[in-house]
Amino acid sequence: MAQHTPMIQQYLQIKAQYKDAFLFFRLGDFYELFFEDAKKASQELEITLTGRGTGDDKIPMCGVPHHSADDYISQLIEKGYKIAICEQVEDPRQAKGVVKREVVQLITPGTVMEGKTIHEKENNYLIAITDFEDGSFGLARTDLTTGENLVTLITGDFDEVLQELGTIKAKELIVSTSFAEEYTKRVNDVLTLTLSYEDEETVLPSFEPLVKHLEQKKLISTFARLTHYLARTQKRTLDHLQPVQYYTTNDHMKIDLHSMRNLELVETLREKRKKGSLLWLLDETVTAMGGRMLKRWVERPLVSTHTITSRLSMVESLLNHFFEREELRDQLKEVYDLERLAGKVAYGNVNARELLQLKKSLEQVPLIIAMIEQLGNPHGLELVRNVDRCEGLLELLETSLRENPPLSIKEGGMIKEGFHLELDKYRDASVNGKTWIAQLEQREREETGIKTLKIGYNKVFGYYIEVTKANIQYLPEGRYERKQTLSNAERYITPELKEKETLILEAEEKIEQLEYDLFLEIREQVKQYISPLQQLAKCMSEIDVLQGFATVSEQQHYVKPTFSENREVNVIDGRHPVVEKMIDHGDYVANDVRLSRDREILLITGPNMAGKSTYMRQLALIATMAQVGCYVPATEATLPIFDQVFTRIGAADDLASGQSTFMVEMLETKHALAKATQDSLILLDEIGRGTSTYDGMALAQSIIEYIHDEVGAKTLFSTHYHELTALEAELLRLQNVHVSAVEENGKVVFLHKVIDGQADRSYGIYVAELADLPHQVITRAQEILSHLETQNSNIETVPAREPKVVQEKPVAIATEAEQPVQLPLFETEQPEEQKGEQALTPVEQSVIKKMKKLDVLNMSPIEAIQQLNELQKKLR
Ligand code: ADP
Ligand code: MG
């Protein structure tokens, strides 16, 4: 085997420590990748794969320029990869042998600080899990961009862990190497995240202050695992990490993953986009951090009546003060992302422009606080009470920073006059020098009499006096030294110009250096304010979310909900907030929902497309909105505080999940039945649809009975099995309701109105009519249906249809055996047993035969229509 060069040996040594990452190996102005990394990266990044060395020893290699590396790093992070940044850590000119190199940072999906994967209005979480011996699980997570740290203990089964992971949507998961593989497999089945390992779980001294207040001591080890991973990958102090906050999943209304998806709380079911979700509707926040807080709130509605009503009262107060609220919005618009700015300060990569954003934000703070105080709402007052306005920081930034600093912190132009004596002196020197030069131009012109003489400056030659070739003859001898020749001019320098130039350039160099040093000093000082800034960010975020609630509540005419203690639901003229917004406000048909102790289950029937699903989701969304502290789309709403919401959609309807099997439907239903309590809300939408009719109907009935007898949760159950409406007679707490439709001129018109009582019939046939099936097929279907309904029997006893002669053209058609048969115009001979169907053609007879064989009860309406369609084709 060929011996690698010393540099490649160094590469291999480092790479061995970062096997699961792309190693970006710094070579001059490039980051190079070698071997397998190079092959994979060239594919993922679509960059050219080259080679290093010659012949058989050629090593695969590809590279990206270091100044544009961020973009490539983002691309890889987005795909879930990790990147180890390996820099030259000594000056190549001073190096003996191979330049020393070290990995300075491991960038991973959960630790990335900027780029495409970081969304303004979303957190970027990294989460660690410990499976404790007693069967419980510790979860610790951090958002490195904001410094937020949260821990919780889950005592239930791994399902609950999955549930929590799904809600958090972390980008990266850290576990110990002994963590059960079965668990990681289950995580990978439902979520896409990057997996990392860390076994160390004793707290690093620098992180002790963050956990010392924690009562759940065992969670400290989980947080320690997290911080070890951070320390190992980030290789820097993380001053912005906030004290760990403990929460329990019981503090929130639980909405499992499927329900969250089905209800489209934060993204739509099909396209996975924010637009069209409840979050999208509610998002009237004007700051990025407010947007993030709103998302967290929507994912975790509250269960504490006190906190909910307290938020609601603040919304009310903001709603009642239109002008103040508008002003508040304007002020908040000037507030930048304080949380992430604080994170950048800690990472030491904040520039003067960003510090200026910080300044502008802080200028708004006193105004915002004054506005909240003026409103006088207790919740608002509590929010701003004791909040540190960071006045010292504001003063520092106001006195030190200029208005329009450059992007780079190395070219000066950042520090304000009057901030630093020495800096001002250099600036004077530079400015004076420049005025002297401007005056010199005038003097030189007068002395030489050359009107076109000018003084200029360029980076290579410095200051010069430029005289056109035609005028050179007028220059006096001696003083002018030639510096540069152009095609039609000469450039000169004089001793006095040279002297000033040196002064100016020296001063400017000093200015740049001094400004840079001063800026770093200021940045260090800003670091002292990270913690108060984070507190301030929380306060501003909440004000923003609440003003957003007031804003949308006003725009959409929502009302303040009240809460009942006897588990009663009384929603008058409720609306589905998103559907209402999508169609014109006036076109939405509002509906009441009444539920109480003796009206626990609503069995909802009605034709397809009538609005059953919408009606059910409407209640869940109203409950969710109420429990996050927002007004709700209704004219009046009294609700219980729900502990959990379950939403299940029959597999046939659940097109989006991609795994619409009946098994999934049943698993989800099981979960709801097992976990729901009397305080829960269950929505079962056409459950049982994924299997054959009798099966499905039987299951649906027994599920309803079980909920009725054993669970006692408030339940909305929509079904296309009309037979189930008979349950009302047996189950005391079940009430039939239906979404009404009327017939107008033989056509169905959906009224979208939900009223008590069962739907008078299945409208499948009407839908068939809407689809323009021939009249004859429709009337026959109606006949069959009415028979089935009255006889409750099967197709065998359906009366034969009226014999009828069809004038048939002699055409070639395919029979069942696909044999083209030439049919005579009139049948002359009839077989004996078909006497009763004398006038029927063979085609008609085959149609009838087929029809008799149809298992109508085991068909969905769509299948029925398709069959009808086929039969009809034959007849034609
Ligand atoms: P179903 O579940 O009964 O088949 P959906 O709830 O899916 O019906 O509603 C079908 C469509 O009818 C919805 O997409 C919506 O546009 C419209 N719709 C439903 N309810 C209403 C309503 N209350 N007011 C106005 N349009 C509605
Ligand atoms: Mg539906």
Side-chain angles (χ1 to χ4, degrees):
M1 205 191 88
Q3 183 67 36
H4 288 304
T5 63
M7 193 196 73
I8 292 297
Q9 285 175 27
Q10 180 192 40
Y11 170 87
L12 288 171
Q13 253 170 29
I14 298 175
K15 173 67 195 176
Q17 297 162 43
Y18 295 92
K19 288 202 178 90
D20 63 344
F22 282 106
L23 184 64
F24 272 43
F25 193 75
R26 184 68 179 268
L27 250 179
D29 284 340
F30 277 79
Y31 287 115
E32 300 290 359
L33 295 105
F34 300 108
F35 301 103
E36 283 307 306
D37 271 12
K39 289 188 196 160
K40 210 154 100 188
S42 70
Q43 279 171 6
E44 295 285 8
L45 299 172
E46 293 177 15
I47 51 179
T48 321
L49 183 68
T50 59
R52 194 177 172 88
T54 47
D56 291 345
D57 300 340
K58 208 162 173 176
I59 297 166
M61 172 177 110
C62 67
V64 300
H66 93 102
H67 61 82
S68 60
D70 284 352
D71 189 40
Y72 294 107
I73 292 171
S74 285
Q75 284 184 46
L76 291 173
I77 289 287
E78 211 170 348
K79 295 177 178 194
Y81 294 114
K82 304 175 190 178
I83 296 104
I85 305 290
C86 179
E87 295 288 356
Q88 300 174 167
V89 290
E90 66 178 343
D91 190 335
R93 281 165 300 188
Q94 257 125 56
K96 297 193 191 84
V98 182
V99 185
K100 226 173 123 192
R101 290 186 177 83
E102 267 172 28
V103 169
V104 296
Q105 189 184 2
L106 182 67
I107 306 177
T108 70
T111 61
V112 60
M113 290 291 283
E114 42 197 349
K116 267 187 270 166
T117 50
I118 301 294
H119 301 287
E120 246 202 347
K121 290 190 164 186
E122 278 173 36
N123 282 102
N124 197 66
Y125 288 119
L126 168 72
I127 191 162
I129 301 188
T130 313
D131 47 343
F132 295 114
E133 273 175 12
D134 63 2
S136 61
F137 298 89
L139 271 63
R141 69 181 136 129
T142 188
D143 179 342
L144 211 52
T145 63
T146 64
E148 181 192 30
N149 288 307
L150 293 155
V151 292
T152 190
L153 188 69
I154 291 181
T155 48
D157 50 17
F158 197 68
D159 274 346
E160 271 180 51
V161 175
L162 279 180
Q163 163 63 32
E164 188 58 13
L165 282 179
T167 312
I168 294 167
K169 293 218 185 71
K171 296 280 171 54
E172 188 174 356
L173 172 67
I174 304 161
V175 294
S176 74
T177 43
S178 60
F179 192 71
E181 234 172 77
E182 173 212 334
Y183 291 152
T184 45
K185 191 185 165 303
R186 290 185 60 195
V187 171
N188 280 330
D189 282 349
V190 282
L191 302 165
T192 36
L193 35 69
T194 303
L195 199 62
S196 301
Y197 296 93
E198 177 62 62
D199 285 330
E200 200 54 62
E201 49 180 41
T202 45
V203 189
L204 288 162
S206 59
F207 293 119
E208 262 164 21
L210 302 184
V211 290
K212 61 176 194 295
H213 60 286
L214 262 194
E215 280 166 29
Q216 293 72 14
K217 293 297 171 204
K218 71 208 264 205
L219 289 176
I220 294 180
S221 65
T222 311
F223 182 68
R225 183 191 310 288
L226 183 77
T227 49
H228 272 284
Y229 182 76
L230 287 177
R232 191 157 60 78
T233 57
Q234 302 309 293
K235 299 177 186 290
R236 65 190 75 199
T237 55
L238 298 161
D239 297 323
H240 69 306
L241 289 191
Q242 305 178 36
V244 171
Q245 248 179 294
Y246 171 81
Y247 71 99
T248 124
T249 48
N250 296 330
D251 290 345
H252 306 285
M253 174 164 108
K254 287 188 189 158
I255 319 175
D256 61 276
L257 283 184
H258 297 289
S259 306
M260 203 169 283
R261 253 188 34 200
N262 289 338
L263 292 173
E264 310 193 300
L265 290 189
V266 297
E267 62 184 21
T268 56
L269 201 55
R270 272 146 228 256
E271 289 167 321
K272 306 260 173 266
R273 279 210 310 238
K274 179 176 171 186
K275 185 165 187 216
S277 68
L278 181 65
L279 177 63
W280 162 77
L281 174 94
L282 291 179
D283 194 353
E284 281 293 338
T285 60
V286 294
T287 69
M289 39 184 189
R292 287 197 298 272
M293 181 175 272
L294 174 65
K295 182 157 184 279
R296 293 197 296 267
W297 282 19
V298 171
E299 285 164 342
R300 292 176 194 274
L302 300 172
V303 287
S304 144
T305 322
H306 174 76
T307 322
I308 296 170
T309 46
S310 158
R311 281 183 188 172
L312 281 168
S313 82
M314 178 68 180
V315 174
E316 179 170 33
S317 168
L318 286 160
L319 197 64
N320 291 339
H321 293 86
F322 176 81
F323 292 106
E324 288 85 347
R325 190 176 78 238
E326 282 303 302
E327 207 171 320
L328 193 62
R329 276 170 75 85
D330 286 341
Q331 290 157 351
L332 283 167
K333 278 179 195 158
E334 305 286 314
V335 177
Y336 290 84
D337 197 336
L338 295 176
E339 265 179 322
R340 284 192 169 152
L341 281 175
K344 286 193 139 193
V345 170
Y347 256 62
N349 52 8
V350 68
N351 61 27
R353 285 197 190 164
E354 285 159 331
L355 285 188
L356 210 65
Q357 292 179 348
L358 192 54
K359 184 192 95 173
K360 293 217 173 96
S361 309
L362 291 176
E363 281 167 354
Q364 296 301 319
V365 169
L367 305 175
I368 293 170
I369 292 177
M371 190 61 86
I372 296 296
E373 283 171 348
Q374 191 191 325
L375 289 178
N377 176 272
H379 185 77
L381 291 177
E382 186 57 35
L383 263 181
V384 298
R385 202 168 61 101
N386 297 333
V387 71
D388 187 337
R389 304 168 188 214
C390 302
E391 281 150 336
L393 176 57
L394 177 58
E395 201 188 313
L396 168 69
L397 298 174
E398 269 176 343
T399 49
S400 62
L401 291 182
R402 272 193 185 171
E403 258 329 293
N404 290 308
L407 210 54
S408 156
I409 59 171
K410 292 199 170 148
E411 30 182 271
M414 304 178 287
I415 309 291
K416 223 177 197 171
E417 289 66 24
F419 181 69
H420 195 262
L421 207 64
E422 206 184 337
L423 178 64
D424 287 351
K425 272 193 200 152
Y426 287 127
R427 281 206 178 123
D428 281 349
S430 150
V431 170
N432 290 342
K434 282 178 182 161
T435 11
W436 182 89
I437 286 173
Q439 287 160 357
L440 178 70
E441 188 176 70
Q442 199 49 40
R443 271 205 319 272
E444 288 283 348
R445 280 183 192 167
E446 280 163 13
E447 280 175 23
T448 58
I450 306 171
K451 288 212 179 68
T452 55
L453 176 148
K454 57 183 181 199
I455 295 186
Y457 174 82
N458 74 32
K459 277 211 163 130
V460 184
F461 295 101
Y463 286 97
Y464 53 79
I465 299 171
E466 186 176 301
V467 179
T468 54
K469 292 236 162 102
N471 285 316
I472 294 175
Q473 47 177 321
Y474 303 115
L475 278 184
E477 291 283 313
R479 225 156 48 85
Y480 299 87
E481 180 192 334
R482 188 177 344 215
K483 226 180 165 184
Q484 191 188 3
T485 303
L486 305 180
S487 62
N488 61 347
E490 295 283 350
R491 289 176 173 176
Y492 301 92
I493 186 97
T494 63
E496 49 175 357
L497 182 56
K498 182 90 206 153
E499 189 188 335
K500 278 288 172 204
E501 178 191 87
T502 314
L503 272 179
I504 293 172
L505 292 185
E506 256 176 32
E508 287 189 342
E509 201 175 301
K510 285 253 168 52
I511 290 169
E512 278 173 20
Q513 185 57 43
L514 195 54
E515 283 214 38
Y516 180 72
D517 293 344
L518 286 171
F519 184 78
L520 295 192
E521 250 172 62
I522 294 168
R523 207 156 69 175
E524 271 312 297
Q525 276 174 278
V526 178
K527 269 195 182 179
Q528 313 301 315
Y529 291 91
I530 287 177
S531 167
L533 275 178
Q534 288 165 335
Q535 295 309 313
L536 187 60
K538 287 209 173 77
C539 165
M540 292 297 127
S541 311
E542 183 159 351
I543 293 172
D544 191 17
V545 176
L546 291 170
Q547 73 70 24
F549 284 169
T551 304
V552 25
S553 297
E554 183 178 77
Q555 282 168 2
Q556 305 290 327
H557 312 286
Y558 294 162
V559 291
K560 184 175 172 182
T562 52
F563 297 96
S564 67
E565 273 168 15
N566 49 5
R567 301 196 173 113
E568 281 190 10
V569 173
N570 196 16
V571 175
I572 313 282
D573 285 337
R575 286 118 53 197
H576 186 300
V578 179
V579 174
E580 173 189 48
K581 188 160 176 171
M582 296 289 201
I583 63 180
D584 269 342
H585 176 79
D587 292 344
Y588 193 88
V589 181
N591 273 307
D592 301 346
V593 190
R594 284 186 301 114
L595 292 165
S596 57
R597 178 68 190 133
D598 46 13
R599 213 180 136 92
E600 253 165 13
I601 303 178
L602 297 187
L603 187 74
I604 309 166
T605 45
N608 245 340
M609 292 302 286
K612 299 184 294 297
S613 303
T614 310
Y615 179 71
M616 297 170 73
R617 285 182 175 78
Q618 170 178 314
L619 178 61
L621 291 177
I622 287 178
T624 308
M625 288 168 74
Q627 288 181 235
V628 296
C630 183
Y631 278 29
V632 298
T635 51
E636 212 183 303
T638 307
L639 300 154
I641 301 279
F642 287 112
D643 65 347
Q644 305 171 79
V645 170
F646 300 93
T647 312
R648 296 295 174 263
I649 304 183
D653 268 9
D654 189 4
L655 300 169
S657 76
Q659 46 174 357
S660 42
T661 65
F662 185 62
M663 186 63 188
V664 174
E665 179 182 328
M666 286 298 111
L667 279 174
E668 291 183 17
T669 309
K670 177 215 91 175
H671 177 78
L673 296 188
K675 306 267 167 156
T677 71
Q678 288 196 317
D679 292 311
S680 307
L681 175 64
I682 304 181
L683 311 182
L684 295 176
D685 195 349
E686 310 250 8
I687 285 299
R689 212 172 173 166
T691 181
S692 68
T693 305
Y694 286 131
D695 252 14
M697 197 157 68
L699 274 168
Q701 177 167 344
S702 63
I703 288 168
I704 293 171
E705 286 170 358
Y706 183 84
I707 294 174
H708 185 269
D709 298 341
E710 309 289 335
V711 183
K714 295 282 178 289
T715 305
L716 304 188
F717 195 110
S718 75
T719 185
H720 61 291
Y721 299 128
H722 280 260
E723 295 81 350
L724 292 179
T725 54
L727 283 174
E728 193 184 52
E730 270 170 60
L731 304 180
L732 287 179
R733 293 184 292 282
L734 180 141
Q735 168 72 43
N736 284 330
V737 299
H738 70 281
V739 195
S740 61
V742 289
E743 248 184 279
E744 267 174 21
N745 307 324
K747 291 258 152 63
V748 188
V749 178
F750 297 136
L751 300 179
H752 303 306
K753 197 74 192 168
V754 179
I755 35 193
D756 278 6
Q758 68 201 65
D760 45 1
R761 60 195 311 166
S762 161
Y763 286 83
I765 295 173
Y766 285 111
V767 177
E769 197 178 357
L770 285 184
D772 250 353
L773 279 158
H775 183 66
Q776 193 187 337
V777 176
I778 302 292
T779 43
R780 174 62 179 156
Q782 276 163 342
E783 188 189 348
I784 297 170
L785 177 73
S786 70
H787 175 79
L788 286 176
E789 276 173 354
T790 51
Q791 302 295 306
N792 195 18
S793 56
N794 61 31
I795 199 85
E796 301 298 329
T797 63
V798 171
R801 44 187 290 289
E802 297 240 321
K804 196 172 152 195
V805 185
V806 178
Q807 283 283 336
E808 192 154 15
K809 292 180 199 129
V811 285
I813 57 156
T815 64
E816 270 189 324
E818 301 295 323
Q819 290 290 327
V821 174
Q822 191 68 33
L823 291 170
L825 191 55
F826 294 106
E827 284 292 337
T828 45
E829 276 178 6
Q830 292 291 330
E832 205 49 33
E833 69 270 25
Q834 286 183 0
K835 280 274 146 63
E837 295 166 305
Q838 280 247 325
L840 295 185
T841 64
V843 183
E844 285 169 343
Q845 284 163 18
S846 93
V847 167
I848 286 178
K849 222 160 109 195
K850 277 212 144 181
M851 197 126 162
K852 276 186 179 164
K853 276 200 229 147
L854 289 183
D855 185 5
V856 173
L857 287 179
N858 280 323
M859 279 179 168
S860 70
I862 296 290
E863 283 166 354
I865 292 173
Q866 280 169 348
Q867 288 291 344
L868 280 175
N869 193 25
E870 253 169 47
L871 296 178
Q872 188 212 5
K873 262 195 216 151
K874 281 201 178 212
L875 289 176
R876 275 182 175 165

